[in-house]
Amino acid sequence: MLALRLTRGARPAVQLRRLLVALASAGTGFLLLCTLGHAISHPEDASGAVLRLAWCLTPLAATVHFALAVARTDPGTRPRPGLAAIGLGPARLMAVTAATTALSCTLGSMLALLFFLHLRGDLTGMPFDGAAADFLAADAPLPLPAALTLLGLVPAIASVTVGLVLRPRDDRPAAAKREARSYGRFGAYGRTAAGEPFGVYGRFRARRTAGEPAEDRSAAAVAHEPKRVGTPSARVGEDIPAGPPAEDGRTDDLDPAVLPSPKEAPTGLPWGVAVLAAGLAVEAYANRQGTTPAAPLPGGLAGTPSVLVGWLLTAVGLAIAGPGLTHLCGRLLQSTRPGALRLLAGRVLMAEATRIGRPLGIVCAVASGAYAMTTLYGGTGPEVGPLTTLGLALVTSCTIATLLTAAVEAKHARSDTTAALVRLGAPATMLRSAAALRAGALLALFGPLTLVVAELAALPLTG
């Protein structure tokens, strides 16, 4: 009931994202039911049915990834003051988020079942003059347990994934955890905080917390603190307002402490490059061998198992290397004596590398695969079937929607920094210019990379 109340009380933008998750779940459920229909109508082709079911794993993974991105940006299930007092702690809110995701995916699965039964003619008669009777097994009874099992895959996998990813974690360093678990003086569990010198509470109107240096302050606290001048002519405690920004949009007096702190580079870049190189090597080997196709796609596309393994490794490599490449973009933007604009854009990219890097890498993988299939179908290749078109549209739309949702999550995450910059006098044009600079830097790096990978991925199909 709580999940239903939070779902009903959400804003229109949140409801729209949940509706998109339901539509993606409906598309994936319909593909799974079509696979079941093909297996019923062709009982002698067991290997073909298994292969079609394996091809449905890609839309399933894209749908689950999109549902996870939407669950991370759901404001109704974030920890808020007062909820813990009524028993809604982080673990309970995580369960509510998983339940909300399951509700959205279940709604989509029910829509897929209704549409599938309508096309079979079980509700109002056979539509489209029986054109879909071949792959829907309209002349055979539908096994309800098998259909419900396939339809329950998306809600179950999505809710479990959301629960595992959003589970409460202890973000303290390992040293702090060992400090908390150790025994203190006279057998007391846990040690007391480190001692502070006399007068630390009164000096500089600041209080240092246990285990945290006095210089480590948040962006919001720095923004609220007035600027002071250290010259002898200025009185102690005198507030000096920040000067107006320059006419050309530059903010030369921008306080670097307000910007997001630079984070360490993600450790997955070497592994991602290695997996990407392995995938391209497998595809090159398949092109050199020139073996006969052995794994047909439901829409008519054919390829050897080596080609399919190469495509899979290429996609995984781009997804793993995405955060590292995004962090590299931010570091390059801050090179060679950066100004306030490039410093802001670079710091934001470095801070959001993990959040937007992996969806961006997946979009590049999907774009390279779409280019390879366009190369095949652009000539005298086979015609695109309806199920292949639906699968391609579902995967492409889910990956793009996941990237946009991650961008919205990143915008909400840096809202405190943006508010602090506005209070310090940063013009709105500077913030928009920084966003455009970030997008241009990512496009300049990931665009040529996608084209190169797409050309290499298309070689097994055109060779």
Side-chain angles (χ1 to χ4, degrees), residues 303-372:
T304 62
S306 300
V307 173
L308 302 180
V309 172
W311 284 359
L312 179 61
L313 291 178
T314 301
V316 173
L318 287 174
I320 296 176
L325 294 176
T326 305
H327 191 276
L328 179 62
C329 283
R331 185 173 294 276
L332 292 177
L333 280 178
Q334 301 178 72
S335 60
T336 64
R337 301 180 62 184
L341 182 61
R342 287 197 293 131
L343 186 62
L344 175 61
R347 287 285 186 89
V348 170
L349 277 183
M350 294 175 66
E352 299 172 356
T354 305
R355 183 177 287 110
I356 66 176
R358 187 166 291 109
L360 189 57
I362 295 176
V363 169
C364 292
V366 172
S368 62
Y371 177 82

Side-chain angles (χ1 to χ4, degrees), residues 118-122 124-133 136 138-139:
H118 173 68
L119 292 181
R120 277 174 49 92
D122 296 338
T124 59
M126 181 68 66
F128 306 114
D129 298 330
L136 297 182
D139 55 348

Side-chain angles (χ1 to χ4, degrees), residues 130-305:
D134 184 22
F135 61 89
L136 297 182
D139 55 348
L142 180 67
L144 189 59
L148 295 180
T149 300
L150 291 177
L151 290 176
L153 289 178
V154 179
I157 296 177
S159 59
V160 170
T161 303
V162 169
L164 291 177
V165 174
L166 301 184
R167 69 185 185 276
R169 294 185 179 89
D170 191 357
D171 296 332
R172 295 179 301 174
K177 295 179 183 179
R178 290 193 300 267
E179 185 78 13
R181 289 194 299 264
S182 61
Y183 288 90
R185 193 177 302 173
F186 302 110
Y189 188 76
R191 297 180 181 176
T192 57
E196 296 179 345
F198 177 76
V200 73
Y201 291 89
R203 262 180 280 172
F204 308 113
R205 296 187 296 179
R207 182 182 183 274
R208 184 179 63 180
T209 58
E212 181 182 3
E215 294 81 10
D216 189 8
R217 297 172 297 176
S218 62
V222 174
H224 284 293
E225 291 183 1
K227 292 188 175 181
R228 310 187 187 280
V229 178
T231 58
S233 58
R235 296 189 301 270
V236 177
E238 181 180 1
D239 297 344
I240 306 297
E247 297 180 358
D248 57 352
R250 297 179 57 189
T251 308
D252 297 331
D253 56 348
L254 182 61
D255 193 352
V258 182
L259 302 178
S261 58
K263 298 183 178 180
E264 297 182 358
T267 58
L269 181 58
W271 293 102
V273 173
V275 175
L276 177 60
L280 295 178
V282 170
E283 293 177 7
Y285 174 78
N287 183 32
R288 183 177 180 181
Q289 292 296 320
T291 55
T292 57
L297 191 68
L301 178 63
T304 62

Side-chain angles (χ1 to χ4, degrees), residues 410-423:
K411 181 180 179 181
H412 292 166
R414 64 173 185 271
S415 59
D416 294 339
T417 302
T418 304
L421 290 173
V422 171
R423 285 193 297 267

